[in-house]
Amino acid sequence: MTITEALITILLGMAAGFINTVGGGGSMLVVPFLIFIGLPANVANATNRIAILLQNVVSVGSFKQKKILDFKTDYKLLLPVALGSIVGALIAVDINEDVFKKVIAGLLIIMFFMLLLNPDAWVKANADKAKMKQPWLRNLIFFFIGIYGGFIQIGIGFFLLAGLVLGCGYDLLKANAIKLFIVLFYTIIALAIFIYNDLVNFKVGLILACGNMLGAWLGVRFSVKWGAKYIRYFLLVILVVVAIRLYFS
């Protein structure tokens, strides 16, 4: 990696860390670039997880410090997502993801219209809904979200937000914090599987992580200052960009 490529990697990481923390989809910037500089697609997908891990250490710690995230009560979805991520990471070791990405792009477009046409459901918290009267269904949904997250990081934030907001009743600010906590937890598992299969370029991953961590720090402050309403507007734009990028990649 040249000095220029390293600087671009850090800048892209900063943008990705901010986008991932505020909503999701930052990996759409990073993974194609890592492929462009010579990493195989599965290695790029795996190497990006180093940055995701360290980025979320920063963002989760910041949300906890601001008392938006509470480990004692916000841990309940960790297990189903973690189990799913094991399955997804094992699939990602050698599968061709092109068709899968196009299906996901279509789902993201559907989510865009849900976000556009029913804004109150995304912005306002619903405490009764958050109690989850059917936890088995919740766990099943988040297990499949975990499979996708373990398989490919791109777009996972949107699916977690949809589950946490529409399924669990959290507003976007709280859902964002829990989303990052979940991603931090399952990324440890997925990254271990990728390391075991020798798919991680540590040098590139750590350079990328420098930018991601700074972007995450900025993203938390943006989220807390502007709140759920403005996060929704940001998500609308990013959803379209990610869906188009996935479909035509």
Side-chain angles (χ1 to χ4, degrees), residues 129-141:
K129 201 173 183 181
K131 293 178 181 177
M132 298 302 293
K133 295 179 180 179
Q134 295 181 310
W136 67 268
L137 180 59
R138 173 203 66 191
N139 290 337
L140 182 62
I141 291 171

Side-chain angles (χ1 to χ4, degrees), residues 49-214:
R49 308 305 177 101
I50 294 179
I52 295 297
L53 175 65
L54 296 178
Q55 158 205 299
N56 284 330
V57 169
V58 173
S59 55
V60 166
S62 297
F63 272 122
K64 187 177 187 302
Q65 185 180 41
K66 294 179 180 297
K67 302 187 184 305
I68 295 170
L69 186 64
D70 185 352
F71 295 157
K72 293 180 180 179
T73 58
D74 296 333
Y75 69 91
K76 297 178 182 178
L77 296 170
L78 293 180
L79 181 59
V81 175
L83 292 175
S85 71
I86 295 173
V87 177
L90 291 173
I91 294 173
V93 169
D94 55 10
I95 195 172
N96 186 310
E97 72 269 21
D98 287 344
V99 175
F100 191 45
K101 286 196 296 185
K102 288 179 172 55
V103 172
I104 297 303
L107 292 174
L108 291 177
I109 291 296
I110 293 173
M111 197 181 301
F112 167 82
F113 285 105
M114 292 170 61
L115 184 60
L116 180 67
L117 299 175
N118 190 16
D120 286 346
W122 290 81
V123 176
K124 296 179 181 178
N126 186 330
D128 291 335
K129 201 173 183 181
K131 293 178 181 177
M132 298 302 293
K133 295 179 180 179
Q134 295 181 310
W136 67 268
L137 180 59
R138 173 203 66 191
N139 290 337
L140 182 62
I141 291 171
F142 279 88
F143 172 76
F144 283 107
I145 291 176
I147 291 177
Y148 177 72
F151 177 73
I152 184 169
Q153 184 68 27
I154 298 174
I156 182 62
F158 299 125
F159 293 102
L160 284 170
L161 284 176
L164 291 165
V165 173
L166 302 179
C168 299
Y170 297 109
D171 66 43
L172 269 173
L173 182 59
K174 178 68 171 180
N176 235 350
I178 298 175
K179 174 204 76 177
L180 295 166
F181 184 31
I182 291 173
V183 172
L184 172 61
F185 188 76
Y186 85 69
T187 297
I188 296 172
I189 299 170
L191 183 58
I193 293 173
F194 292 135
I195 292 173
Y196 177 79
N197 286 277
D198 197 26
L199 292 175
V200 176
N201 185 314
F202 285 96
K203 179 181 177 181
V204 174
L206 290 172
I207 292 173
L208 178 64
C210 293
N212 274 66
M213 289 188 288
L214 177 57

